[in-house]
Amino acid sequence: MKITFYGHACLGIQINDVHILVDPFISGNPKALAIDINTLEADYILLTHAHQDHILDVETIAARTSAVIVSNYEIATYYEKKGFEHHPMNHGGSWDFEFGNLKYVNAIHTSSFPDGSYGGQPGGFVIEGEHKNIYIAGDTALTFDMKLIPLQTKLDLAILPIGDNFTMGINDAIIASDFLECDKVLGYHFDTFGYIEIDHEAAKRKFFEKDKDLMLLEIGEFIEL
Ligand code: NI
Ligand code: MN
């Protein structure tokens, strides 16, 4: 499994030959100018919620790639009406895709489209790939519901928002890592805007002091699990 950070909360995940794109917000991110959305591969686009900083480039990329848009019922049908391929899910539901099992799980946040229309309830995703399992939290507060995930899935990586203000910050992300029983964390949703700028070294040190590993990738950088 290869995971590429495209800035903010956007990730590219490659499992075998399948390309998954999560929450594409690139063309509006001044820190991601080096990423060309016209070259990104996508068989599936996973959307955690409807906020602009998670869906901005969905239509451009889906129109070119014919990717299947996977999200909650409201978001999936919003794109269905626009003629895009879609797969609706809702909280607690899972489905066996060609890349593995995908579950849509709870998040504590909000989810309106940029025009104010209803974007359902926000969520996160658990992907059980062929060899590795990951959790993509989406925008969320720390929540006890995270304790449900390791009851069924042994995680190899937790991808958690760490920018604070709109989501949990570093201290809550450390507790989330305990709840998830996963000490390996990839941080996202930080630095894009002034409200969510963080001190990278201080954040990593806090994790290190708890015997945990916080990875922060440069935009365009990837890791392999
Ligand atoms: Ni949001
Ligand atoms: Mn956000």
Short mmCIF file of all heavy atoms in Angstrom, two decimals, residues 20-81:
data_model
loop_
_atom_site.label_atom_id
_atom_site.label_comp_id
_atom_site.label_asym_id
_atom_site.label_seq_id
_atom_site.Cartn_x
_atom_site.Cartn_y
_atom_site.Cartn_z
N ILE A 20 -6.82 5.16 -5.33
CA ILE A 20 -7.88 5.78 -4.53
C ILE A 20 -7.43 7.20 -4.19
O ILE A 20 -6.29 7.41 -3.78
CB ILE A 20 -8.10 4.99 -3.22
CG1 ILE A 20 -8.44 3.52 -3.54
CG2 ILE A 20 -9.18 5.63 -2.36
CD1 ILE A 20 -8.25 2.60 -2.35
N LEU A 21 -8.32 8.14 -4.38
CA LEU A 21 -8.02 9.51 -4.01
C LEU A 21 -8.99 9.92 -2.90
O LEU A 21 -10.19 9.61 -2.99
CB LEU A 21 -8.18 10.41 -5.24
CG LEU A 21 -7.61 11.82 -5.17
CD1 LEU A 21 -6.08 11.79 -5.02
CD2 LEU A 21 -7.99 12.60 -6.43
N VAL A 22 -8.47 10.56 -1.87
CA VAL A 22 -9.32 10.94 -0.73
C VAL A 22 -9.38 12.46 -0.63
O VAL A 22 -8.33 13.14 -0.66
CB VAL A 22 -8.75 10.37 0.59
CG1 VAL A 22 -9.66 10.71 1.76
CG2 VAL A 22 -8.54 8.86 0.49
N ASP A 23 -10.58 13.00 -0.55
CA ASP A 23 -10.82 14.42 -0.24
C ASP A 23 -9.96 15.39 -1.06
O ASP A 23 -9.17 16.18 -0.50
CB ASP A 23 -10.60 14.67 1.26
CG ASP A 23 -11.73 14.12 2.12
OD1 ASP A 23 -12.71 13.57 1.57
OD2 ASP A 23 -11.63 14.23 3.36
N PRO A 24 -10.15 15.39 -2.39
CA PRO A 24 -9.28 16.24 -3.23
C PRO A 24 -9.54 17.74 -3.08
O PRO A 24 -10.58 18.24 -3.48
CB PRO A 24 -9.58 15.75 -4.65
CG PRO A 24 -10.94 15.17 -4.57
CD PRO A 24 -11.09 14.60 -3.18
N PHE A 25 -8.59 18.39 -2.49
CA PHE A 25 -8.57 19.86 -2.36
C PHE A 25 -7.14 20.28 -2.67
O PHE A 25 -6.28 20.29 -1.81
CB PHE A 25 -8.97 20.28 -0.94
CG PHE A 25 -8.79 21.75 -0.66
CD1 PHE A 25 -9.70 22.69 -1.16
CD2 PHE A 25 -7.73 22.21 0.10
CE1 PHE A 25 -9.53 24.04 -0.90
CE2 PHE A 25 -7.56 23.57 0.37
CZ PHE A 25 -8.45 24.48 -0.13
N ILE A 26 -6.91 20.57 -3.93
CA ILE A 26 -5.54 20.83 -4.39
C ILE A 26 -5.45 22.18 -5.10
O ILE A 26 -4.61 23.01 -4.77
CB ILE A 26 -5.07 19.69 -5.32
CG1 ILE A 26 -4.98 18.39 -4.50
CG2 ILE A 26 -3.73 20.03 -5.96
CD1 ILE A 26 -4.89 17.14 -5.34
N SER A 27 -6.36 22.40 -6.07
CA SER A 27 -6.25 23.63 -6.87
C SER A 27 -6.50 24.88 -6.03
O SER A 27 -6.06 25.97 -6.40
CB SER A 27 -7.22 23.57 -8.06
OG SER A 27 -8.56 23.55 -7.62
N GLY A 28 -7.16 24.73 -4.89
CA GLY A 28 -7.43 25.87 -4.02
C GLY A 28 -6.45 25.97 -2.87
O GLY A 28 -6.60 26.83 -2.00
N ASN A 29 -5.46 25.08 -2.84
CA ASN A 29 -4.49 25.06 -1.75
C ASN A 29 -3.18 25.72 -2.22
O ASN A 29 -2.44 25.12 -2.99
CB ASN A 29 -4.24 23.61 -1.30
CG ASN A 29 -3.25 23.51 -0.15
OD1 ASN A 29 -2.69 24.51 0.28
ND2 ASN A 29 -3.04 22.30 0.33
N PRO A 30 -2.90 26.93 -1.78
CA PRO A 30 -1.70 27.61 -2.25
C PRO A 30 -0.41 26.87 -1.91
O PRO A 30 0.63 27.11 -2.52
CB PRO A 30 -1.76 28.98 -1.53
CG PRO A 30 -2.70 28.80 -0.41
CD PRO A 30 -3.65 27.71 -0.79
N LYS A 31 -0.47 25.94 -0.96
CA LYS A 31 0.72 25.17 -0.59
C LYS A 31 0.92 23.95 -1.50
O LYS A 31 1.94 23.28 -1.42
CB LYS A 31 0.62 24.72 0.87
CG LYS A 31 0.66 25.89 1.86
CD LYS A 31 0.85 25.39 3.28
CE LYS A 31 1.48 26.41 4.20
NZ LYS A 31 0.76 27.65 4.39
N ALA A 32 -0.08 23.67 -2.36
CA ALA A 32 -0.01 22.46 -3.20
C ALA A 32 0.12 22.79 -4.68
O ALA A 32 -0.28 22.01 -5.54
CB ALA A 32 -1.25 21.60 -2.95
N LEU A 33 0.72 23.93 -4.97
CA LEU A 33 0.82 24.38 -6.37
C LEU A 33 1.62 23.40 -7.23
O LEU A 33 1.43 23.34 -8.46
CB LEU A 33 1.48 25.76 -6.42
CG LEU A 33 0.66 26.91 -5.79
CD1 LEU A 33 1.45 28.21 -5.82
CD2 LEU A 33 -0.68 27.07 -6.48
N ALA A 34 2.50 22.62 -6.59
CA ALA A 34 3.34 21.69 -7.35
C ALA A 34 2.55 20.47 -7.83
O ALA A 34 3.04 19.70 -8.66
CB ALA A 34 4.52 21.23 -6.50
N ILE A 35 1.35 20.27 -7.30
CA ILE A 35 0.56 19.09 -7.68
C ILE A 35 -0.38 19.47 -8.82
O ILE A 35 -1.14 20.44 -8.71
CB ILE A 35 -0.27 18.56 -6.48
CG1 ILE A 35 0.62 18.33 -5.24
CG2 ILE A 35 -1.02 17.29 -6.87
CD1 ILE A 35 1.71 17.31 -5.41
N ASP A 36 -0.33 18.72 -9.90
CA ASP A 36 -1.19 18.97 -11.06
C ASP A 36 -2.36 17.99 -11.01
O ASP A 36 -2.17 16.78 -11.17
CB ASP A 36 -0.37 18.78 -12.34
CG ASP A 36 -1.22 18.99 -13.59
OD1 ASP A 36 -2.42 19.31 -13.47
OD2 ASP A 36 -0.66 18.81 -14.70
N ILE A 37 -3.57 18.52 -10.79
CA ILE A 37 -4.71 17.60 -10.64
C ILE A 37 -5.01 16.86 -11.94
O ILE A 37 -5.69 15.84 -11.93
CB ILE A 37 -5.99 18.32 -10.13
CG1 ILE A 37 -6.45 19.41 -11.09
CG2 ILE A 37 -5.80 18.86 -8.73
CD1 ILE A 37 -7.85 19.93 -10.76
N ASN A 38 -4.50 17.36 -13.05
CA ASN A 38 -4.77 16.70 -14.34
C ASN A 38 -3.90 15.47 -14.59
O ASN A 38 -4.05 14.79 -15.59
CB ASN A 38 -4.59 17.70 -15.48
CG ASN A 38 -5.59 18.83 -15.36
OD1 ASN A 38 -6.79 18.58 -15.21
ND2 ASN A 38 -5.11 20.05 -15.37
N THR A 39 -3.00 15.19 -13.65
CA THR A 39 -2.16 14.01 -13.80
C THR A 39 -2.46 12.96 -12.73
O THR A 39 -1.89 11.87 -12.74
CB THR A 39 -0.66 14.37 -13.69
OG1 THR A 39 -0.41 14.89 -12.38
CG2 THR A 39 -0.27 15.41 -14.72
N LEU A 40 -3.35 13.28 -11.79
CA LEU A 40 -3.63 12.33 -10.70
C LEU A 40 -4.49 11.18 -11.21
O LEU A 40 -5.47 11.41 -11.92
CB LEU A 40 -4.35 13.04 -9.55
CG LEU A 40 -3.55 14.12 -8.82
CD1 LEU A 40 -4.40 14.73 -7.72
CD2 LEU A 40 -2.25 13.55 -8.26
N GLU A 41 -4.13 9.98 -10.80
CA GLU A 41 -4.92 8.82 -11.18
C GLU A 41 -5.96 8.55 -10.10
O GLU A 41 -5.70 8.73 -8.91
CB GLU A 41 -4.02 7.59 -11.32
CG GLU A 41 -3.04 7.69 -12.48
CD GLU A 41 -2.19 6.44 -12.58
OE1 GLU A 41 -2.63 5.49 -13.23
OE2 GLU A 41 -1.09 6.45 -12.01
N ALA A 42 -7.16 8.14 -10.53
CA ALA A 42 -8.20 7.83 -9.56
C ALA A 42 -9.20 6.83 -10.15
O ALA A 42 -9.82 7.08 -11.17
CB ALA A 42 -8.94 9.10 -9.14
N ASP A 43 -9.29 5.68 -9.50
CA ASP A 43 -10.36 4.73 -9.81
C ASP A 43 -11.54 4.96 -8.86
O ASP A 43 -12.68 4.73 -9.22
CB ASP A 43 -9.85 3.30 -9.65
CG ASP A 43 -8.69 3.01 -10.58
OD1 ASP A 43 -8.88 3.13 -11.81
OD2 ASP A 43 -7.59 2.69 -10.09
N TYR A 44 -11.21 5.41 -7.66
CA TYR A 44 -12.22 5.73 -6.65
C TYR A 44 -11.85 7.06 -6.00
O TYR A 44 -10.67 7.35 -5.79
CB TYR A 44 -12.27 4.66 -5.55
CG TYR A 44 -12.69 3.31 -6.07
CD1 TYR A 44 -11.74 2.41 -6.55
CD2 TYR A 44 -14.03 2.94 -6.11
CE1 TYR A 44 -12.11 1.18 -7.06
CE2 TYR A 44 -14.42 1.70 -6.61
CZ TYR A 44 -13.45 0.83 -7.09
OH TYR A 44 -13.84 -0.38 -7.58
N ILE A 45 -12.85 7.86 -5.68
CA ILE A 45 -12.64 9.07 -4.89
C ILE A 45 -13.47 8.93 -3.62
O ILE A 45 -14.70 8.83 -3.68
CB ILE A 45 -13.05 10.34 -5.67
CG1 ILE A 45 -12.20 10.49 -6.94
CG2 ILE A 45 -12.90 11.59 -4.77
CD1 ILE A 45 -12.62 11.66 -7.84
N LEU A 46 -12.80 8.87 -2.49
CA LEU A 46 -13.48 8.76 -1.21
C LEU A 46 -13.64 10.15 -0.61
O LEU A 46 -12.66 10.90 -0.54
CB LEU A 46 -12.69 7.89 -0.22
CG LEU A 46 -12.19 6.52 -0.69
CD1 LEU A 46 -11.58 5.75 0.49
CD2 LEU A 46 -13.29 5.72 -1.33
N LEU A 47 -14.85 10.46 -0.17
CA LEU A 47 -15.11 11.77 0.43
C LEU A 47 -15.62 11.59 1.85
O LEU A 47 -16.61 10.91 2.08
CB LEU A 47 -16.15 12.53 -0.40
CG LEU A 47 -15.75 12.77 -1.87
CD1 LEU A 47 -16.90 13.44 -2.61
CD2 LEU A 47 -14.48 13.60 -1.96
N THR A 48 -14.93 12.23 2.79
CA THR A 48 -15.33 12.09 4.20
C THR A 48 -16.52 12.97 4.54
O THR A 48 -17.35 12.61 5.36
CB THR A 48 -14.17 12.46 5.15
OG1 THR A 48 -13.79 13.83 4.93
CG2 THR A 48 -12.96 11.55 4.91
N HIS A 49 -16.58 14.15 3.91
CA HIS A 49 -17.71 15.06 4.14
C HIS A 49 -17.70 16.11 3.04
O HIS A 49 -16.86 16.09 2.15
CB HIS A 49 -17.68 15.66 5.55
CG HIS A 49 -16.51 16.55 5.85
ND1 HIS A 49 -15.21 16.10 5.87
CD2 HIS A 49 -16.44 17.87 6.16
CE1 HIS A 49 -14.40 17.10 6.18
NE2 HIS A 49 -15.12 18.19 6.35
N ALA A 50 -18.69 17.03 3.09
CA ALA A 50 -18.97 17.89 1.92
C ALA A 50 -18.29 19.26 1.96
O ALA A 50 -18.51 20.07 1.05
CB ALA A 50 -20.49 18.07 1.77
N HIS A 51 -17.50 19.52 2.96
CA HIS A 51 -16.88 20.85 3.03
C HIS A 51 -15.95 21.11 1.84
O HIS A 51 -15.31 20.20 1.32
CB HIS A 51 -16.09 21.00 4.34
CG HIS A 51 -16.97 21.22 5.54
ND1 HIS A 51 -16.54 21.02 6.83
CD2 HIS A 51 -18.27 21.63 5.63
CE1 HIS A 51 -17.54 21.30 7.67
NE2 HIS A 51 -18.59 21.67 6.96
N GLN A 52 -15.89 22.39 1.49
CA GLN A 52 -15.12 22.81 0.32
C GLN A 52 -13.67 22.32 0.34
O GLN A 52 -13.13 21.96 -0.71
CB GLN A 52 -15.15 24.36 0.27
CG GLN A 52 -14.30 25.00 -0.81
CD GLN A 52 -15.04 25.06 -2.13
OE1 GLN A 52 -15.89 24.24 -2.44
NE2 GLN A 52 -14.71 26.07 -2.93
N ASP A 53 -13.08 22.33 1.52
CA ASP A 53 -11.66 21.93 1.60
C ASP A 53 -11.47 20.41 1.52
O ASP A 53 -10.38 19.90 1.81
CB ASP A 53 -11.01 22.50 2.87
CG ASP A 53 -11.65 22.03 4.15
OD1 ASP A 53 -12.89 22.02 4.23
OD2 ASP A 53 -10.92 21.66 5.09
N HIS A 54 -12.56 19.70 1.10
CA HIS A 54 -12.47 18.25 0.91
C HIS A 54 -13.01 17.82 -0.45
O HIS A 54 -12.77 16.69 -0.88
CB HIS A 54 -13.18 17.52 2.04
CG HIS A 54 -12.54 17.80 3.37
ND1 HIS A 54 -11.73 16.92 4.03
CD2 HIS A 54 -12.54 18.92 4.13
CE1 HIS A 54 -11.26 17.48 5.13
NE2 HIS A 54 -11.74 18.70 5.22
N ILE A 55 -13.75 18.71 -1.11
CA ILE A 55 -14.40 18.29 -2.37
C ILE A 55 -14.08 19.19 -3.56
O ILE A 55 -14.57 18.94 -4.66
CB ILE A 55 -15.94 18.27 -2.22
CG1 ILE A 55 -16.50 19.68 -1.96
CG2 ILE A 55 -16.39 17.29 -1.14
CD1 ILE A 55 -17.95 19.84 -2.33
N LEU A 56 -13.27 20.21 -3.36
CA LEU A 56 -13.10 21.23 -4.41
C LEU A 56 -12.80 20.64 -5.79
O LEU A 56 -13.38 21.07 -6.79
CB LEU A 56 -11.96 22.19 -4.01
CG LEU A 56 -11.67 23.30 -5.02
CD1 LEU A 56 -12.84 24.29 -5.10
CD2 LEU A 56 -10.38 24.03 -4.68
N ASP A 57 -11.91 19.67 -5.88
CA ASP A 57 -11.47 19.17 -7.18
C ASP A 57 -12.14 17.86 -7.60
O ASP A 57 -11.73 17.24 -8.58
CB ASP A 57 -9.94 18.99 -7.17
CG ASP A 57 -9.23 20.33 -6.98
OD1 ASP A 57 -9.65 21.32 -7.59
OD2 ASP A 57 -8.25 20.37 -6.20
N VAL A 58 -13.16 17.46 -6.88
CA VAL A 58 -13.82 16.17 -7.18
C VAL A 58 -14.32 16.13 -8.62
O VAL A 58 -14.04 15.19 -9.37
CB VAL A 58 -15.02 15.94 -6.23
CG1 VAL A 58 -15.85 14.76 -6.70
CG2 VAL A 58 -14.53 15.71 -4.82
N GLU A 59 -15.08 17.13 -9.02
CA GLU A 59 -15.73 17.06 -10.33
C GLU A 59 -14.72 17.09 -11.46
O GLU A 59 -14.86 16.36 -12.45
CB GLU A 59 -16.76 18.20 -10.46
CG GLU A 59 -17.91 17.99 -9.48
CD GLU A 59 -19.04 19.00 -9.63
OE1 GLU A 59 -19.21 19.56 -10.74
OE2 GLU A 59 -19.76 19.22 -8.64
N THR A 60 -13.69 17.92 -11.34
CA THR A 60 -12.66 17.98 -12.38
C THR A 60 -11.98 16.63 -12.55
O THR A 60 -11.79 16.14 -13.67
CB THR A 60 -11.59 19.04 -12.00
OG1 THR A 60 -12.25 20.26 -11.74
CG2 THR A 60 -10.59 19.23 -13.12
N ILE A 61 -11.62 16.03 -11.42
CA ILE A 61 -10.89 14.76 -11.49
C ILE A 61 -11.80 13.61 -11.89
O ILE A 61 -11.44 12.76 -12.71
CB ILE A 61 -10.20 14.48 -10.14
CG1 ILE A 61 -9.12 15.55 -9.87
CG2 ILE A 61 -9.57 13.08 -10.12
CD1 ILE A 61 -8.56 15.55 -8.46
N ALA A 62 -13.02 13.60 -11.36
CA ALA A 62 -13.94 12.50 -11.70
C ALA A 62 -14.36 12.57 -13.16
O ALA A 62 -14.55 11.52 -13.81
CB ALA A 62 -15.17 12.55 -10.79
N ALA A 63 -14.49 13.77 -13.71
CA ALA A 63 -14.88 13.91 -15.12
C ALA A 63 -13.80 13.32 -16.03
O ALA A 63 -14.10 12.71 -17.06
CB ALA A 63 -15.12 15.37 -15.45
N ARG A 64 -12.55 13.49 -15.66
CA ARG A 64 -11.45 12.99 -16.49
C ARG A 64 -11.21 11.49 -16.29
O ARG A 64 -10.92 10.78 -17.26
CB ARG A 64 -10.15 13.76 -16.14
CG ARG A 64 -8.91 13.26 -16.87
CD ARG A 64 -7.68 14.11 -16.56
NE ARG A 64 -7.41 14.26 -15.14
CZ ARG A 64 -6.79 13.33 -14.39
NH1 ARG A 64 -6.37 12.20 -14.93
NH2 ARG A 64 -6.59 13.54 -13.10
N THR A 65 -11.34 11.02 -15.04
CA THR A 65 -10.94 9.65 -14.72
C THR A 65 -12.11 8.66 -14.69
O THR A 65 -11.88 7.45 -14.65
CB THR A 65 -10.28 9.59 -13.33
OG1 THR A 65 -11.23 10.06 -12.35
CG2 THR A 65 -9.03 10.47 -13.29
N SER A 66 -13.35 9.18 -14.64
CA SER A 66 -14.54 8.34 -14.43
C SER A 66 -14.47 7.56 -13.11
O SER A 66 -15.04 6.48 -12.99
CB SER A 66 -14.76 7.35 -15.58
OG SER A 66 -14.88 8.04 -16.80
N ALA A 67 -13.77 8.13 -12.15
CA ALA A 67 -13.67 7.49 -10.83
C ALA A 67 -15.05 7.36 -10.19
O ALA A 67 -15.94 8.17 -10.42
CB ALA A 67 -12.76 8.33 -9.93
N VAL A 68 -15.18 6.31 -9.39
CA VAL A 68 -16.41 6.11 -8.62
C VAL A 68 -16.31 6.93 -7.33
O VAL A 68 -15.34 6.77 -6.57
CB VAL A 68 -16.61 4.62 -8.26
CG1 VAL A 68 -17.87 4.42 -7.43
CG2 VAL A 68 -16.63 3.78 -9.53
N ILE A 69 -17.28 7.80 -7.10
CA ILE A 69 -17.28 8.64 -5.90
C ILE A 69 -17.96 7.88 -4.77
O ILE A 69 -19.14 7.50 -4.88
CB ILE A 69 -17.97 9.98 -6.18
CG1 ILE A 69 -17.19 10.75 -7.26
CG2 ILE A 69 -18.10 10.80 -4.89
CD1 ILE A 69 -17.93 11.95 -7.82
N VAL A 70 -17.22 7.66 -3.69
CA VAL A 70 -17.72 6.88 -2.56
C VAL A 70 -17.85 7.81 -1.36
O VAL A 70 -16.86 8.43 -0.94
CB VAL A 70 -16.78 5.72 -2.20
CG1 VAL A 70 -17.36 4.88 -1.08
CG2 VAL A 70 -16.47 4.87 -3.43
N SER A 71 -19.04 7.90 -0.83
CA SER A 71 -19.23 8.75 0.35
C SER A 71 -20.56 8.40 1.00
O SER A 71 -21.16 7.37 0.67
CB SER A 71 -19.20 10.24 -0.05
OG SER A 71 -19.13 11.05 1.12
N ASN A 72 -20.99 9.25 1.93
CA ASN A 72 -22.29 9.01 2.54
C ASN A 72 -23.40 9.18 1.50
O ASN A 72 -23.17 9.67 0.39
CB ASN A 72 -22.49 9.90 3.78
CG ASN A 72 -22.62 11.39 3.43
OD1 ASN A 72 -23.11 11.76 2.37
ND2 ASN A 72 -22.18 12.25 4.32
N TYR A 73 -24.59 8.77 1.83
CA TYR A 73 -25.71 8.75 0.87
C TYR A 73 -25.95 10.12 0.25
O TYR A 73 -26.12 10.25 -0.97
CB TYR A 73 -26.98 8.25 1.59
CG TYR A 73 -28.18 8.27 0.69
CD1 TYR A 73 -28.39 7.25 -0.24
CD2 TYR A 73 -29.09 9.33 0.74
CE1 TYR A 73 -29.47 7.27 -1.09
CE2 TYR A 73 -30.18 9.35 -0.11
CZ TYR A 73 -30.36 8.33 -1.02
OH TYR A 73 -31.43 8.37 -1.87
N GLU A 74 -25.94 11.16 1.07
CA GLU A 74 -26.28 12.50 0.57
C GLU A 74 -25.23 13.01 -0.41
O GLU A 74 -25.55 13.61 -1.44
CB GLU A 74 -26.43 13.47 1.75
CG GLU A 74 -27.69 13.27 2.58
CD GLU A 74 -27.62 12.08 3.53
OE1 GLU A 74 -26.53 11.48 3.71
OE2 GLU A 74 -28.68 11.73 4.09
N ILE A 75 -23.96 12.80 -0.09
CA ILE A 75 -22.89 13.27 -0.97
C ILE A 75 -22.86 12.44 -2.26
O ILE A 75 -22.74 12.98 -3.36
CB ILE A 75 -21.54 13.23 -0.23
CG1 ILE A 75 -21.53 14.26 0.91
CG2 ILE A 75 -20.39 13.50 -1.20
CD1 ILE A 75 -20.31 14.20 1.81
N ALA A 76 -23.01 11.13 -2.12
CA ALA A 76 -22.97 10.26 -3.30
C ALA A 76 -24.11 10.61 -4.26
O ALA A 76 -23.91 10.68 -5.48
CB ALA A 76 -23.03 8.80 -2.88
N THR A 77 -25.31 10.84 -3.73
CA THR A 77 -26.44 11.14 -4.62
C THR A 77 -26.34 12.55 -5.19
O THR A 77 -26.83 12.80 -6.30
CB THR A 77 -27.79 10.94 -3.91
OG1 THR A 77 -27.80 11.66 -2.69
CG2 THR A 77 -28.05 9.48 -3.63
N TYR A 78 -25.70 13.46 -4.48
CA TYR A 78 -25.42 14.81 -5.02
C TYR A 78 -24.61 14.68 -6.32
O TYR A 78 -24.92 15.34 -7.31
CB TYR A 78 -24.65 15.60 -3.96
CG TYR A 78 -24.11 16.96 -4.38
CD1 TYR A 78 -24.87 18.12 -4.19
CD2 TYR A 78 -22.83 17.08 -4.91
CE1 TYR A 78 -24.37 19.36 -4.54
CE2 TYR A 78 -22.32 18.32 -5.26
CZ TYR A 78 -23.09 19.46 -5.07
OH TYR A 78 -22.57 20.69 -5.42
N TYR A 79 -23.62 13.81 -6.31
CA TYR A 79 -22.80 13.62 -7.51
C TYR A 79 -23.50 12.74 -8.55
O TYR A 79 -23.28 12.90 -9.75
CB TYR A 79 -21.41 13.09 -7.14
CG TYR A 79 -20.58 14.15 -6.46
CD1 TYR A 79 -20.27 14.08 -5.11
CD2 TYR A 79 -20.13 15.26 -7.18
CE1 TYR A 79 -19.53 15.08 -4.48
CE2 TYR A 79 -19.40 16.26 -6.56
CZ TYR A 79 -19.10 16.17 -5.21
OH TYR A 79 -18.38 17.17 -4.61
N GLU A 80 -24.34 11.83 -8.08
CA GLU A 80 -25.13 11.01 -9.02
C GLU A 80 -25.99 11.92 -9.90
O GLU A 80 -26.07 11.75 -11.11
CB GLU A 80 -26.03 10.05 -8.24
CG GLU A 80 -26.96 9.25 -9.15
CD GLU A 80 -28.00 8.45 -8.38
OE1 GLU A 80 -28.31 8.79 -7.22
OE2 GLU A 80 -28.51 7.48 -8.96
N LYS A 81 -26.61 12.93 -9.27
CA LYS A 81 -27.48 13.85 -10.02
C LYS A 81 -26.69 14.63 -11.06
O LYS A 81 -27.25 15.11 -12.05
CB LYS A 81 -28.18 14.81 -9.06
CG LYS A 81 -29.28 14.14 -8.26
CD LYS A 81 -30.08 15.15 -7.46
CE LYS A 81 -31.02 14.42 -6.48
NZ LYS A 81 -30.83 14.84 -5.10
#
